[in-house]
Amino acid sequence: MTTTVIGVGLIGGSMALDAKAAGFSDRIVGVDSNRTHGEIALQRGIVDDIVNLEEGVRMADVIILAVPVSVAATLLPGILDIIAAGAVVTDVGSTKRALCDAVRNHPRRGRYVPSHPIAGTENSGPSAALHGLFRNKLGILCESGACDPDALSRVKHLYTVLGMRLLFMEADDHDRHVAYVSHISHITSFVLATTVLEIEKSTSTIFDLAGSGFESTVRLAKSSPDMWTPIFVQNAQFVCEALDAYIKNITAFRQMVASGMSADLSRTMEDANEIRRVLAGLNGKPAENTGPGQERR
Amino acid sequence: MTTTVIGVGLIGGSMALDAKAAGFSDRIVGVDSNRTHGEIALQRGIVDDIVNLEEGVRMADVIILAVPVSVAATLLPGILDIIAAGAVVTDVGSTKRALCDAVRNHPRRGRYVPSHPIAGTENSGPSAALHGLFRNKLGILCESGACDPDALSRVKHLYTVLGMRLLFMEADDHDRHVAYVSHISHITSFVLATTVLEIEKSTSTIFDLAGSGFESTVRLAKSSPDMWTPIFVQNAQFVCEALDAYIKNITAFRQMVASGMSADLSRTMEDANEIRRVLAGLNGKPAENTGPGQERR
């Protein structure tokens, strides 16, 4: 059985590593428009071979589309046009509606299983690929009703061997929820980096004063613009809804600080502290002293 | 030699633990307005005894003021009034100007060494105190010119035995720099938590979709309002300067997303990526694939 990974970067490369290790596929082939990335993927043993897009698609039983979501939406219809009989196509994009719309009326729509593994790092490229990236993470599958049952089973099996929990969502719900939790946190981190680099002229002072609190808050600002630009643009409606709420709240916070409204500031931060219980799994984990992280005060 | 720690929480308690372990002081006494915190500090062996404020001040050779900055500014003049001859007072607050102003004309101003150890966690209270919190961290000393030389030496020695690097700054410079790097990142994190809890009604969905990227961006939102409210209010001028720049930048980012300005978004995020090199120490550390943190995409 042959699996073709289109885009052997952090996500595609990590998926290839574990799919191979778990025996999901006896042959894993890579496709990448970046020749250097293809060579690194070969050198690291992430893939058995690097071929061109058409070859990779035609020879595959399973195709994993792991390229920026704008490229994925462009490639997907043509890929479905030429896949082998019985082959399955899935993707790993952080937006789902645009991809689903791109093939909604395609005669082979049923062979495509829209998916989104909730995993990654702030790094990119095949040199960032790692084993175990998906273990115990959440894998979201969308529009399962539009997928052929055998195609859906194949992708569920892939995610299961990667160690992921499965969650099913409609594409619109997925895009709204990820905008409200993930996409907004990437933007607040990018903007924090932009702002601190702008107002704190001395980068050595940033380095001196940055405790791990600042480092943790700004970590996502190291993420790849190639990956995130099309995500934000495809998901603009829900991302802007989230940003409008955020901008309203930070403007109100600024006013409380400017006016010395201590009681309101305290109440606002006490309410925000609720995120500790939410992230502890709403399951009575101790709400005190979780996390060893250190930060500047 | 007796050291009195006023406020045996995360910072005061951690300082007591390491000062004792390093043999800085043969006796460490605690003062805390919270009886339970005092009992926990005794039970954990953080302090040898719990006494009242006046006792603790009168018996001390070194006094570490580790209470919220609003309380510190209120207590400091009265503490200087009654310290023993030759005793030294320092503090650990994240703002310095208000404390320096509170004792600028005090006859014993020279016995006070304003300081700020750049360390902490999002947790609070004596149960959060830990060994090694300050090792290899930065200790900032302010207005050293206004300190008696022997008092300054004593506090430098304390920070050195705790394993800290020392940096000297004027109080205003300190307050501006920490607003621009630390205080703003705490506020963006608090506001992220507020916003996500507000727009994502299902807390179980937040838990499901929160990868470690969201967790790291929102971690500081778990911090103590008692500690942070007076910091933001005392440092309102510089905090609002930083927030005004941030609000301008996130509003521009929102506009780029709404208008699908992909090239501008990419350029903005590429510039933000520079924070990776800054945090790597501007020293040619590999700008790729540092940090193992994982996040949702």
Side-chain angles (χ1 to χ4, degrees):
Chain A
M1 200 272 271
T2 299
T3 298
T4 295
V5 177
I6 302 172
V8 290
L10 167 69
I11 300 300
S14 299
M15 218 170 246
L17 282 172
D18 281 350
K20 182 90 175 178
F24 173 79
S25 187
D26 50 358
R27 183 160 187 246
I28 299 204
V29 169
V31 172
D32 206 297
S33 59
N34 180 319
R35 178 178 298 274
T36 311
H37 282 188
E39 286 162 1
I40 294 170
L42 263 179
Q43 286 160 10
R44 289 197 57 199
I46 291 172
V47 294
D48 302 312
D49 197 4
I50 289 286
V51 300
N52 69 42
L53 179 61
E54 179 169 355
E55 280 179 281
V57 171
R58 291 190 186 280
M59 71 173 59
D61 302 288
V62 174
I63 294 161
I64 300 170
L65 197 50
V67 293
V69 292
S70 49
V71 181
T74 308
L75 293 181
L76 185 56
I79 288 171
L80 287 179
D81 291 341
I82 62 169
I83 53 172
V88 178
V89 183
T90 188
D91 78 299
V92 298
S94 191
T95 53
K96 296 265 76 65
R97 185 169 52 177
L99 266 82
C100 291
D101 288 348
V103 293
R104 190 163 305 289
N105 303 312
H106 194 288
R108 292 178 175 156
R109 167 64 186 86
R111 310 312 301 164
Y112 168 57
V113 180
S115 81
H116 177 199
I118 309 295
T121 79
E122 69 271 34
N123 304 315
S124 57
S127 51
L130 60 158
H131 277 288
L133 178 60
F134 305 101
R135 190 166 302 122
N136 302 321
K137 298 291 178 16
L138 186 72
I140 300 177
L141 301 181
C142 294
E143 289 198 349
S144 50
C147 307
D148 296 347
D150 69 296
L152 187 60
S153 307
R154 186 75 70 93
V155 174
K156 284 163 71 173
H157 176 61
L158 167 64
Y159 275 26
T160 305
V161 302
L162 295 176
M164 305 192 87
R165 297 175 291 118
L166 291 176
L167 185 69
F168 295 85
M169 276 188 190
E170 287 314 300
D172 261 24
D173 294 335
H174 166 277
D175 288 7
R176 191 179 73 256
H177 287 305
V178 296
Y180 286 8
V181 178
S182 162
H183 299 173
I184 184 182
S185 57
H186 282 77
I187 291 173
T188 60
S189 191
F190 275 119
V191 173
L192 178 62
T194 298
T195 304
V196 171
L197 288 166
E198 171 189 309
I199 64 182
E200 182 52 77
K201 302 298 178 210
S202 159
T203 51
S204 63
T205 302
I206 296 174
F207 176 71
D208 280 337
L209 297 192
S212 66
F214 175 72
E215 285 205 64
S216 125
T217 313
V218 85
R219 179 166 67 83
L220 297 184
K222 304 172 180 176
S223 303
S224 160
D226 295 342
M227 172 182 152
W228 283 100
T229 297
I231 290 172
F232 297 145
V233 170
Q234 280 190 5
N235 209 17
Q237 177 196 334
F238 295 129
V239 166
C240 288
E241 283 176 14
L243 284 178
D244 289 341
Y246 184 92
I247 290 167
K248 173 181 66 62
N249 288 329
I250 197 164
T251 303
F253 200 104
R254 188 255 183 230
Q255 188 50 44
M256 290 185 257
V257 171
S259 311
M261 301 161 67
S262 297
D264 298 288
L265 281 170
S266 290
R267 197 162 34 246
T268 301
M269 288 187 269
E270 280 157 21
D271 293 342
N273 285 165
E274 169 68 13
I275 202 70
R276 182 191 289 265
R277 262 184 303 281
V278 170
L279 293 180
L282 319 152
N283 59 3
K285 260 200 216 167
E288 274 291 302
N289 309 338
T290 56
Q294 293 182 10
E295 86 226 15
R296 62 177 316 292
R297 297 174 54 229
Chain B
M1 200 270 273
T2 298
T3 298
T4 295
V5 177
I6 301 172
V8 290
L10 167 69
I11 300 300
S14 300
M15 218 171 247
L17 282 171
D18 282 350
K20 183 89 174 177
F24 173 78
S25 187
D26 51 358
R27 181 157 187 251
I28 300 204
V29 170
V31 172
D32 206 297
S33 58
N34 180 318
R35 177 179 299 274
T36 311
H37 282 188
E39 286 162 2
I40 294 171
L42 263 179
Q43 286 160 9
R44 288 196 57 198
I46 290 172
V47 295
D48 303 310
D49 197 4
I50 289 285
V51 300
N52 69 41
L53 178 63
E54 180 169 353
E55 282 179 281
V57 170
R58 291 191 185 280
M59 72 174 60
D61 303 288
V62 174
I63 294 161
I64 300 169
L65 196 50
V67 292
V69 292
S70 50
V71 181
T74 309
L75 293 181
L76 185 56
I79 289 171
L80 287 180
D81 290 342
I82 62 169
I83 54 173
V88 177
V89 183
T90 188
D91 77 298
V92 299
S94 191
T95 53
K96 296 265 76 65
R97 185 169 51 176
L99 266 82
C100 291
D101 288 349
V103 293
R104 191 165 304 291
N105 304 311
H106 194 287
R108 291 178 175 158
R109 167 66 188 85
R111 309 313 299 166
Y112 167 56
V113 180
S115 80
H116 177 199
I118 308 296
T121 78
E122 69 271 35
N123 304 314
S124 56
S127 52
L130 61 157
H131 277 288
L133 178 60
F134 305 101
R135 191 165 304 123
N136 302 320
K137 299 290 176 24
L138 187 72
I140 300 177
L141 301 180
C142 294
E143 289 199 348
S144 47
C147 307
D148 295 347
D150 69 298
L152 187 60
S153 307
R154 185 76 70 94
V155 174
K156 284 163 71 174
H157 176 61
L158 168 64
Y159 275 26
T160 305
V161 301
L162 294 177
M164 305 192 86
R165 297 175 290 120
L166 291 176
L167 185 67
F168 295 86
M169 276 187 190
E170 288 313 301
D172 261 24
D173 294 335
H174 167 276
D175 288 7
R176 190 178 73 256
H177 287 306
V178 295
Y180 285 10
V181 178
S182 162
H183 299 172
I184 184 181
S185 56
H186 281 78
I187 291 173
T188 61
S189 192
F190 274 118
V191 173
L192 178 62
T194 299
T195 304
V196 171
L197 289 167
E198 171 188 309
I199 64 182
E200 183 51 77
K201 303 297 179 213
S202 159
T203 51
S204 63
T205 303
I206 296 173
F207 175 71
D208 280 338
L209 297 192
S212 67
F214 175 71
E215 285 206 63
S216 116
T217 313
V218 85
R219 179 166 67 82
L220 297 184
K222 303 172 181 177
S223 304
S224 160
D226 295 341
M227 171 182 152
W228 283 99
T229 297
I231 290 172
F232 297 145
V233 170
Q234 280 190 5
N235 209 18
Q237 177 196 337
F238 295 129
V239 166
C240 288
E241 284 176 15
L243 284 178
D244 289 341
Y246 184 92
I247 291 167
K248 173 181 65 65
N249 288 329
I250 197 164
T251 303
F253 199 104
R254 188 256 186 230
Q255 188 51 45
M256 288 186 257
V257 171
S259 312
M261 300 162 67
S262 296
D264 297 289
L265 281 170
S266 290
R267 197 163 33 247
T268 301
M269 289 186 270
E270 280 158 20
D271 293 344
N273 284 165
E274 170 67 13
I275 202 69
R276 181 191 289 266
R277 261 184 304 280
V278 170
L279 293 180
L282 319 151
N283 61 2
K285 261 202 217 166
E288 276 289 304
N289 309 337
T290 56
Q294 295 182 7
E295 86 226 14
R296 61 179 314 293
R297 296 173 55 227

